[in-house]
Amino acid sequence: MASIPDFEIAEAGISKDNSAEAEQFKFRVDEIFQKVDELEQKVNEVEQFYLSSSKKQQSSSKGSSMGKERDKERQVPSIKKQQQDASRREAAAAKRMQELMRQFGTIVRQITQHKWAWPFMQPVDVKGLGLHDYYEIVEKPMDFSTIKNQMEAKDGTGYKNVRDICADVRLVFNNAMKYNDEGSDVHLMAKTLLEKFEEKWQLLLPKVTEEEKRRDEEEAEAQLDMQLVREAAHAKVVRDLCNELYEVDTHLEHLRETVVQKCRKMSTEEKRNLGTAIARLSMEDLNKALEIIAQSNPAFQAMAEEVEIDIDAQSESTLWRLKFFVKDALELQSKSAMSTGGNNNNNYNNKRKKEICDAIAKTAKKKSKKTCS
């Protein structure tokens, strides 16, 4: 944004000779423009956050109304508390999962102690047995020694979930049944042990399902806490924005009063010329001019069927604002007319414009008669 041009200061009657005062005024205006730019950026950030939050809420609008009421009553946790809770939650979940893995280890030991488990205890000796097509048929080899090593790993490379171990146990037997013919001993042994494993797994499965459900609920709760923290942070930003906007508005009002005090009063001839210039505005710009009048006069109905515009009754600040606006609007209007030929066939706009212009002329005529008498 640019600062107020020199010609506006000069036309409003602020002497350019007093350059220090004029420069100070322009500097203050530039500061406000810079502040407004910063506030606009913050407003956009807050708007994007709430738009994103709204989309997430719509996509996850599951659950009962009672659950939603509980969410409203939740206390907003601090970031530190949330981190502490997350650490405790992860530690407790890891401990529960370790217990499930211990119970699963019992199942694995029972299966591997079976008299038919020996072919599956070590990796298949592909080279020694001359199984040249083994890797073409079996995509991912697996055996119980590999499973045991991963279950006992202490370097963080081991299993994290019981279902991962279960998948590898099944892989051991499925690989054997896939490579060996259905009537072969190894195929029969693998099929039998897989059935026994599935029976034992079904006994542990309810506990695994319960743990997974609990983890999902805790994760949802953690996400809600994080959302509340973010909303609280953005709510603070909104409060700060409101305070800053109030300060900017107060500063602008002070500057407005300063301008009015520095401005000379507009002469009668200038007011008459202003009324004439307003009549030359396009319908769109004419409505904007009416809005400028309405800003300093709440009782003025800019969009009423009939309007009465008394130029002499307007404040000095309103008159100068109108003058600057009309000047810029007519210059743009003139350039636009030259490029488009100036054709306008909007009958309604022309009628509305005529009514407003007649109102200006009528009011001016009344003022003139009162002055003569």
Side-chain angles (χ1 to χ4, degrees):
M1 292 184 180
S3 59
I4 292 182
D6 290 342
F7 77 86
E8 292 190 4
I9 295 175
E11 284 193 27
I14 300 176
S15 174
K16 289 183 69 178
D17 294 336
N18 193 352
S19 58
E21 185 178 9
E23 284 300 319
Q24 183 181 13
F25 178 78
K26 290 168 63 180
F27 177 74
R28 289 169 68 190
V29 172
D30 285 340
E31 278 187 327
I32 290 180
F33 283 145
Q34 184 178 355
K35 185 67 175 178
V36 169
D37 285 340
E38 293 173 359
L39 292 175
E40 284 180 349
Q41 184 176 354
K42 290 181 181 179
V43 168
N44 287 335
E45 290 174 359
V46 172
E47 184 180 33
Q48 289 302 315
F49 170 78
Y50 282 109
L51 282 174
S52 176
S53 298
S54 177
K55 290 179 180 178
K56 288 180 181 177
Q57 288 174 2
Q58 289 176 3
S59 63
S60 60
S61 58
K62 297 179 181 180
S64 65
S65 58
M66 187 179 297
K68 294 178 181 178
E69 289 300 321
R70 284 201 303 268
D71 292 345
K72 292 179 181 178
E73 296 172 2
R74 289 171 65 87
Q75 295 292 326
V76 178
S78 66
I79 294 178
K80 184 177 180 180
K81 184 178 184 303
Q82 189 176 5
Q83 291 173 339
Q84 292 173 344
D85 290 345
S87 296
R88 285 195 294 267
R89 192 164 49 242
E90 285 298 321
K95 188 175 181 180
R96 295 194 304 270
M97 184 55 69
Q98 285 296 323
E99 174 58 24
L100 288 175
M101 286 184 172
R102 187 192 66 77
Q103 295 179 38
F104 190 88
T106 301
I107 296 175
V108 172
R109 281 194 299 274
Q110 290 173 349
I111 295 298
T112 56
Q113 288 172 0
H114 194 278
K115 62 181 180 179
W116 285 354
W118 63 267
F120 316 109
M121 298 304 296
Q122 299 295 328
V124 175
D125 185 6
V126 176
K127 187 175 181 180
L129 296 174
L131 309 177
H132 307 297
D133 60 346
Y134 186 80
Y135 293 117
E136 295 177 9
I137 298 173
V138 177
E139 297 177 4
K140 183 183 177 183
M142 185 55 62
D143 63 277
F144 280 105
S145 65
T146 301
I147 292 175
K148 182 182 178 182
N149 290 336
Q150 274 199 262
M151 289 181 69
E152 296 176 352
K154 304 295 184 182
D155 58 356
T157 60
Y159 293 110
K160 302 294 190 300
N161 192 293
V162 175
R163 285 189 184 273
D164 294 337
I165 315 176
C166 178
D168 278 353
V169 170
R170 286 171 175 161
L171 187 61
V172 171
F173 298 128
N174 285 328
N175 283 347
M177 289 188 291
K178 185 176 182 180
Y179 186 78
N180 295 277
D181 294 335
E182 188 172 351
S184 66
D185 291 341
V186 174
H187 187 102
L188 178 61
M189 295 161 76
K191 184 177 180 181
T192 301
L193 290 179
L194 178 59
E195 290 173 353
K196 290 183 177 297
F197 167 74
E198 293 294 352
E199 290 175 4
K200 296 179 182 299
W201 167 247
Q202 289 301 316
L203 297 176
L204 183 61
L205 185 57
K207 293 182 179 180
V208 175
T209 304
E210 183 182 352
E211 173 60 22
E212 289 172 339
K213 181 181 178 182
R214 182 172 178 177
R215 282 206 169 195
D216 289 342
E217 290 174 351
E218 289 179 348
E219 179 63 26
E221 185 177 353
Q223 289 181 359
L224 177 59
D225 286 343
M226 178 62 73
Q227 180 68 12
L228 290 174
V229 169
R230 289 172 181 163
E231 287 182 0
H234 280 81
K236 183 180 183 302
V237 172
V238 171
R239 288 195 298 272
D240 292 343
L241 279 173
C242 290
N243 292 332
E244 290 181 89
L245 286 170
Y246 177 77
E247 290 177 6
V248 169
D249 189 53
T250 303
H251 198 176
L252 283 173
E253 184 61 32
H254 177 71
L255 286 178
R256 192 180 295 114
E257 292 299 321
T258 302
V259 171
V260 172
Q261 292 171 9
K262 297 290 182 180
C263 287
R264 62 173 174 79
K265 290 189 177 295
M266 193 176 284
S267 67
T268 303
E269 182 178 356
E270 285 177 310
K271 292 178 183 178
R272 185 169 63 251
N273 291 338
L274 178 58
T276 303
I278 290 174
R280 292 165 50 201
L281 292 173
S282 67
M283 189 62 213
E284 182 181 356
D285 288 333
L286 191 56
N287 285 330
K288 291 179 181 178
L290 295 179
E291 289 175 5
I292 292 175
I293 295 174
Q295 286 174 8
S296 58
N297 184 5
F300 181 77
Q301 299 294 324
M303 302 306 295
E305 287 293 328
E306 295 184 5
V307 293
E308 183 172 339
I309 305 175
D310 186 354
I311 294 294
D312 293 327
Q314 307 307 315
S315 65
E316 290 299 322
S317 61
T318 300
L319 290 173
W320 285 109
R321 287 180 65 197
L322 280 171
K323 181 178 176 65
F324 298 142
F325 169 75
V326 171
K327 180 179 181 296
D328 291 340
L330 288 179
E331 286 179 356
L332 291 173
Q333 191 172 303
S334 176
K335 292 178 182 178
S336 178
M338 290 175 63
S339 61
T340 62
N343 294 324
N344 187 357
N345 297 318
N346 192 322
N347 293 329
Y348 173 78
N349 284 346
N350 289 337
K351 180 181 178 182
R352 175 67 174 169
K353 179 179 174 182
K354 185 176 184 304
E355 289 173 352
I356 295 173
C357 294
D358 288 346
I360 297 174
K362 185 178 179 181
T363 305
K365 189 174 181 180
K366 287 181 182 179
K367 289 282 183 179
S368 178
K369 285 183 178 180
K370 287 181 180 180
T371 304
C372 293
S373 59

